Amino acid sequence: MSDGDAAGAHDVVLIGGGAAGLRAAIAIAETDPTLDVAVVSKVYPMRSHTVSAEGGAAGFIAADDTWEEHVYDTVSGSDWLGDQDAIEAFVAEAPRELLQLEHWGCPWSRTDDGHIAVRAFGGMKKMRTWFAADKTGFHMLHALFQTSLKYQRVTRYDEWFVTRLLVDDGRVHGCVAIELATGAIRTIRAKAVVLATGGCGKVFPFTTNANINTGDGMALAYRAGAPLKDMEFVQYHPTGLPFTGILITEATRAEGGWLLNKDGYRYLQDYDLGTPSPTPVMRSMELGPRDRLSQAFVHEVEKGRTADSPWGPVVYLDLRHLGEELIESRLPFVRELCLKYERIDPVTELVPVRPVVHYMMGGVHTDIDGATPLAGLFAAGETACVSINGANRLGSNSLPECLVFGARAGRAAASYAASAGPVGDSPAVVAQVADEVARVRRLMAAMPDGLPEDSVPVIRERMQTTMEDAAGIYRTGEAMRKGADALRELQERVGAVGIQDTSRSFNTELVAALEVANMLDVAECMLASGINREESRGAHQRTDFPDRDDERFLVHQLTVREGDGPPRVEQLPVSITRWPPGERVYGR
């Protein structure tokens, strides 16, 4: 076989093997067992980023909790930018999905009387976060993966990297992918494609995300003509380990952990976190929403009340008062991470932390069933934007989002594929395959030794520095416009990038070159959308427009590709069903 030849043809191809992708695969197999399904994953599925999720998954189950309260917390948490019809569906279906996951083998932690244990999470009035100690994502992904194995019509392409979607006559016809073990470039035909590739935290230099989170699915959709939505909203998690960026879960604060500045002072009491009347569940200021806790950190830096470290200013997470027994039973992974990566034991020592890029509220624009405007293309999980998260995601909503909308996208893709006509080798598809093969071959051209200006590491580092400076926790129009100009220059240079490694098998330098091109497209959309949103809402805080502006910007923003130039920004109304915009508060 030569490059560009077909590896196979399937009814539905899922790109991504994490929670959303595997849940979609199971939903397709259950909806129509006759359909042929493929899961294409850049890594072995159990190495997907879902495995690193720690704290838990939200679903109302406690006797004192209600559907309406979870909906309202999510709407308010989104700063009224979440689509309320999607949030209502999400909240209704989340408990069923979590219970189904238990039937598939997820070992949820339990109370002494055998009921599902739930913990508090930031921005939620009631305790509704299911958990499996502090390794929730790990156990969820295990349950999904082992369940997917029983379906014989599900084929896996492990360690294949998708580089292009094939589109003709307004619909998707499959994709082009590199088999990493051999370096072969193959086409995979499909009537429908579901994107579930996760987030794009590696656009920034300091992130909780794994190295695989390079916005691949977002870039694939964007280049194929599907818009990206609300890309300006980037969530910083307030507690990442210095240097590594490894996440220290919000569960630490749910269990009673404190945030202290260099003087040992619980500084969050000095800030408006939207919690004027804390309920017993929100028993501490540390359970405020993530965006406001991260913003408070910046103000502590400005006041000179943070501690210095080799990796910038830090504050401290204090778990000492919780005791070893609680930490070992509820937060064992946190202790393990601190010991291994910081040589600190949280039982007896303070843990240095700082805000770190964690989650993308924006993503591929979809409807409530995961369908994009491009026929046959669906998306789910963090790579998608339904949107239930709006301007700020509440902690523990993301894992059930993968389940609920992974299942919805799977069922919708199955229905589409069952009625869609066959895909074939039209002239347009053949030309796209040839173009993609030529692009990859150009990258394989050898370069001289050293790190020239147009090398992958140099371009990636400058992109990340640009994004940190232009699209951090606080932003200005001037900084974002300067950043957009810098990204334009990098876009021109990335076309000339080459690699030194010309081997075919597991060529990580080739993958890195393809990933940096993806990240540049995603980064441009973030800044274009941020420049256009002249207000402060949720995770998008502009010091030159400090107020929320519902009159002009109670809208989603779509970034649409315009040839090889910067994206065009369009607006889309937010779906409001029962809860008109109001003050964003928690604990009431």
Side-chain angles (χ1 to χ4, degrees), residues 323-342:
E324 184 172 9
E325 182 179 352
L326 186 147
I327 290 172
E328 274 299 305
S329 63
R330 296 284 189 119
L331 304 167
F333 192 44
V334 166
R335 189 181 191 187
E336 180 182 338
L337 291 172
C338 291
L339 287 167
K340 284 187 175 180
Y341 292 96
E342 294 290 335

Side-chain angles (χ1 to χ4, degrees), residues 183-200:
I185 307 167
R186 299 284 181 249
T187 59
I188 304 175
R189 299 284 192 264
K191 298 176 182 178
V193 172
V194 181
L195 298 170
T197 57
C200 55

Side-chain angles (χ1 to χ4, degrees), residues 256-430:
W258 300 334
L259 285 172
L260 310 177
N261 64 17
K262 70 176 184 179
D263 303 317
Y265 175 66
R266 290 178 71 185
Y267 61 89
L268 290 173
Q269 62 192 287
D270 294 348
Y271 300 97
D272 175 17
L273 303 177
T275 54
S277 305
T279 66
V281 168
M282 298 184 66
R283 58 189 176 276
S284 76
M285 63 199 81
E286 280 80 10
L287 279 181
R290 291 171 177 177
D291 55 344
R292 292 187 175 174
L293 265 61
S294 298
Q295 292 153 21
F297 173 88
V298 174
H299 295 306
E300 287 296 290
V301 174
E302 293 169 347
K303 294 174 182 177
R305 303 201 303 193
T306 53
D308 294 328
S309 82
W311 306 282
V314 298
V315 291
Y316 296 103
L317 179 64
D318 188 2
L319 307 179
R320 296 172 299 178
H321 54 286
L322 301 182
E324 184 172 9
E325 182 179 352
L326 186 147
I327 290 172
E328 274 299 305
S329 63
R330 296 284 189 119
L331 304 167
F333 192 44
V334 166
R335 189 181 191 187
E336 180 182 338
L337 291 172
C338 291
L339 287 167
K340 284 187 175 180
Y341 292 96
E342 294 290 335
R343 297 183 180 179
I344 287 173
D345 188 347
V347 172
T348 58
E349 299 171 274
L350 296 173
V351 181
V353 293
R354 56 161 285 185
V356 53
V357 168
H358 180 58
Y359 187 88
M360 302 297 144
M361 272 71 77
V364 181
H365 170 46
T366 75
D367 66 14
I368 199 169
D369 291 315
T372 75
L374 183 60
L377 182 64
F378 303 81
E382 191 175 349
T383 204
C385 183
V386 178
S387 157
I388 66 165
N389 299 310
N392 174 67
R393 175 178 68 83
L394 293 187
S396 74
N397 267 354
S398 62
L399 287 176
E401 178 186 4
C402 290
L403 300 175
V404 169
F405 292 103
R408 278 178 165 260
R411 290 190 290 266
S415 177
Y416 177 89
S419 60
V423 294
D425 292 325
S426 68
V429 168
V430 171

Side-chain angles (χ1 to χ4, degrees), residues 559-570:
T559 44
V560 182
R561 190 180 187 192
E562 289 275 83
D564 292 326
R568 181 179 76 254
V569 180
E570 302 175 351

Side-chain angles (χ1 to χ4, degrees), residues 85-98:
D85 57 344
I87 293 172
E88 290 174 7
F90 160 71
V91 170
E93 295 170 25
R96 295 198 294 270
E97 287 290 333
L98 297 176

